[in-house]
Amino acid sequence: KMAAATMSPYFGQQMSSKNDLVPAWTSQEVSTGTTIMALEYDGGVVIGADSRTTTGAYIANRVTDKLTPIHDRIFCCRSGSAADTQAIADVVTYQLGFHSIELDEPPLVETAANLFRASCYRYREELTAGILVAGWDRRKGGQVYCVPIGGMLVRQPVSVGGSGSSYIYGFMDSNYKPNMTKDQCLELTAAAVSLAMERDGSSGGVVRLASISKDGVERRVILGNQLPKYSTH
Amino acid sequence: KMATLAVRQSPVGGFSFENCKRNAVLEGEANKVGYSLPAARKTGTTICGVVFKDGVILGADTRATEGMIVADKNCSKIHYISPNIYCCGAGTAADTEMTTQIISSNLELHALSTGRVPRVATANRMLKQMLFRYQGYIGAALVLGGVDCNGPHLYSIYPHGSTDKLPYVTMGSGSLAAMAVFEDRYKPDMEEEDAKRLVRDAIAAGIFNDLGSGSNIDLCVITKGKLDYIRPHDEANKKGVRTGDYKYKRGTTSVLTKSVTALNLEVVEETVLTMDTS
């Protein structure tokens, strides 16, 4: 039995922070608390997200870009652990780029979604990642695929994700109508994300929007003071 | 008892968490007898970086703590990665030191292989992929900055492997104090002197308002043409000079009487213990 009093010099990092000088949030994992959203319209997709990344109660980055390009006309919206989603997105970007060069053709959105699903499902016990894959391809036009925690894959015309999404399911159910125009989609996304940011502590900052179509990607930012105001008091 | 022969199993891929299990067992055993394990030396720390007109400026305090005691009053937290890239480290001192050295070494080899000046994005990729591989067990929170062919770049890198590319970043226990200064006075495209003053003030905020940070302020100014490693830039906590002395001169106390008593000792026993110098 090893004597408790003799300490070997090779101790790994203490996971519990017993040190008062280093506050607890410095050892907590960085999470994109988040509100993310994606909608299909005829000819493309519209995606939106907030911009807050938190470590515990501290906002590590208030201008995060959670809309990550995977290919020219395929984006993903990231929620969950920042490290996990960044690592997965990097892997899928590489895999999809390689696949696209092999095919000598722009890749399908469904392919990208399946690559996400493959990683998220295989490592489901180790990962905390909720991802929306959205983009445009020649075969099926604008598509949105949802890959939530656990690694399911399902195509949906509209999808919301992240901790802030709980607050806007009702709003989405009542305000989304099929066959909306691009501008109606942008307006709806901006409104929904703003409402979620208002109510969810882990969402905030600016609203980042992007629309993806045959003609390319258009990105937009709505700053704090330009957000639609809903407060009644 | 003779040691049993065991066929060495080929190592399973991935990181071996055996030591983590051992640490948990040791911690349990130590707590049972009332001891607590020694805390890994953490650099309590305030580190920060800012992008200005011509490049980036990295700043750091110089206090390293072991629990509540200052282990090193003047440690260097701005680590060399490549001639145009430097990295400040917060968290576990050994982890930041070794991680930056490993990536610095790999980056030098990579640069020789490509024949190009290394890019900050490359160092960022290497660091984040390594830290993600270790799932946060390497406690290194880094501020990576440098200037390459695409201009000045600044990244913050967290122990679990997530990174943010921003114009100004702070890390460490004093990061909230430093960020308060940045949020108040940061402007894009500052001049070098203004940026140096801003970084100095941000680190000073951490030093004077956070117990885990202290001592001096180190600065590293990286621009396209030159590199200034200023250590220390500001001796904010210089040790005071002792103004008096409690030692009294011989003769301060006058001697009134003196009596000497000899101790008459008899040698009773004499043994010689030879030192084993074999």
Side-chain angles (χ1 to χ4, degrees):
Chain A
K1 174 176 174 273
M2 194 188 291
T6 58
M7 308 297 180
S8 77
Y10 309 106
F11 273 111
Q13 157 136 7
Q14 303 298 311
M15 289 317 289
S16 58
S17 177
K18 291 187 203 134
N19 189 350
D20 285 333
L21 291 177
V22 184
W25 58 260
T26 55
S27 56
Q28 272 171 323
E29 208 190 310
V30 178
S31 115
T32 43
T34 302
T35 309
I36 49 175
M37 207 168 123
L39 304 105
E40 290 174 15
Y41 69 91
D42 183 23
V45 293
V46 162
I47 53 176
D50 74 304
S51 69
R52 184 171 286 185
T53 318
T54 50
T55 34
Y58 179 65
I59 298 170
N61 187 355
R62 60 180 170 85
V63 286
T64 325
D65 186 6
K66 302 179 190 179
L67 307 175
T68 308
I70 303 296
H71 207 266
D72 294 343
R73 281 175 184 53
I74 306 175
F75 269 63
C76 77
C77 309
R78 301 180 292 111
S79 74
S81 156
D84 291 350
T85 53
Q86 282 181 16
I88 297 169
D90 286 345
V91 162
V92 172
T93 305
Y94 163 75
Q95 291 173 330
L96 198 67
F98 195 93
H99 169 74
S100 173
I101 287 174
E102 282 183 321
L103 254 52
D104 196 20
E105 244 184 55
L108 300 175
V109 187
E110 192 172 350
T111 312
N114 271 291
L115 286 170
F116 271 106
R117 195 251 315 129
S119 294
C120 291
Y121 183 71
R122 180 178 286 260
Y123 297 105
R124 56 182 296 168
E125 307 299 329
E126 286 84 30
L127 294 172
T128 312
I131 295 172
L132 297 177
V133 186
W136 179 92
D137 64 36
R138 246 177 47 149
R139 203 182 284 187
K140 296 190 189 165
Q143 299 143 74
V144 170
Y145 294 88
C146 183
V147 184
I149 294 175
M152 172 183 86
L153 171 63
V154 72
R155 180 179 172 187
Q156 292 176 311
V158 194
S159 199
V160 294
S163 57
S165 65
S166 329
Y167 303 101
I168 50 174
Y169 276 107
F171 179 79
M172 291 311 301
D173 288 339
S174 53
N175 287 75
Y176 173 77
K177 289 167 183 41
N179 303 321
M180 294 202 296
T181 66
K182 180 175 87 159
D183 290 315
Q184 286 175 320
C185 286
L186 284 164
E187 235 180 82
L188 181 63
T189 311
V193 177
S194 307
L195 284 166
M197 279 160 53
E198 188 75 30
R199 285 292 180 177
D200 179 30
S202 310
S203 302
V206 304
V207 175
R208 292 197 187 276
L209 295 166
S211 69
I212 310 167
S213 66
K214 163 167 65 84
D215 304 315
V217 178
E218 261 175 56
R219 299 205 59 160
R220 210 169 307 186
V221 183
I222 305 181
L223 300 178
N225 57 349
Q226 300 158 345
L227 288 170
K229 292 183 192 13
Y230 294 97
S231 230
T232 50
H233 52 274
Chain B
K1 173 169 174 256
M2 182 150 53
T4 51
L5 284 170
V7 176
R8 190 156 171 269
Q9 281 178 307
S10 54
V12 184
F15 183 64
S16 163
F17 288 93
E18 287 306 310
N19 282 345
C20 301
K21 273 191 238 166
R22 176 206 66 182
N23 293 346
V25 167
L26 283 173
E27 193 173 349
E29 283 184 14
N31 288 339
K32 239 186 285 177
V33 271
Y35 288 102
S36 64
L37 295 176
R41 192 214 287 186
K42 283 170 165 268
T43 44
T45 303
T46 309
I47 51 175
C48 70
V50 95
V51 174
F52 71 104
K53 201 173 77 171
D54 308 316
V56 304
I57 302 186
L58 303 175
D61 73 306
T62 61
R63 174 181 288 184
T65 51
E66 236 169 59
M68 279 299 210
I69 301 187
V70 176
D72 190 346
K73 287 184 279 191
N74 196 200
C75 80
S76 168
K77 300 184 191 181
I78 306 183
H79 308 285
Y80 169 87
I81 300 280
S82 80
N84 59 324
I85 305 171
Y86 276 72
C87 186
C88 308
T92 309
D95 288 346
T96 59
E97 189 72 45
M98 296 317 300
T99 304
T100 49
Q101 281 181 0
I102 289 171
I103 266 66
S104 170
S105 166
N106 290 344
L107 201 61
E108 187 173 344
L109 291 170
H110 186 262
L112 286 165
S113 170
T114 60
R116 290 176 167 83
V117 171
R119 302 188 190 188
V120 191
T122 315
N124 180 54
R125 267 293 161 111
M126 291 171 153
L127 284 162
K128 78 172 348 184
Q129 286 180 349
M130 178 183 168
L131 291 172
F132 183 76
R133 197 162 16 112
Y134 285 90
Q135 286 290 291
Y137 283 98
I138 293 187
L142 310 166
V143 168
L144 175 76
V147 179
D148 58 29
C149 57
N150 292 119
H153 304 282
L154 184 66
Y155 294 87
S156 66
I157 307 170
Y158 290 84
H160 285 263
S162 62
T163 64
D164 291 304
K165 188 177 193 302
L166 292 164
Y168 55 95
V169 293
T170 65
M171 291 282 238
S173 56
S175 67
L176 265 63
M179 186 50 94
V181 174
F182 275 165
E183 289 284 30
D184 186 31
R185 286 161 42 188
Y186 170 83
K187 283 171 202 39
D189 295 321
M190 281 185 290
E191 292 297 330
E192 182 173 326
E193 284 312 307
D194 292 331
K196 277 163 81 170
R197 210 170 307 131
L198 180 63
V199 172
R200 183 251 158 231
D201 288 344
I203 301 294
I207 286 173
F208 294 115
N209 299 100
D210 172 44
L211 293 180
S213 311
S215 298
N216 313 321
I217 299 167
D218 288 349
L219 236 61
C220 186
V221 183
I222 312 172
T223 52
K224 196 161 186 334
K226 74 173 162 82
L227 172 95
D228 272 330
Y229 191 88
I230 314 171
R231 178 176 151 80
H233 168 70
D234 193 329
E235 286 203 303
N237 290 286
K238 215 161 164 164
K239 190 169 182 174
V241 177
R242 218 176 272 267
T243 49
D245 192 13
Y246 284 112
K247 232 188 185 135
Y248 293 97
K249 284 203 306 287
R250 235 173 224 282
T252 306
T253 309
S254 50
V255 179
L256 296 178
T257 51
K258 192 157 90 172
S259 86
V260 178
T261 317
L263 282 172
N264 293 314
L265 296 171
E266 252 177 61
V267 177
V268 175
E269 194 192 313
E270 195 176 313
T271 50
V272 178
L273 281 172
T274 50
M275 192 175 6
D276 189 355
T277 52
S278 56

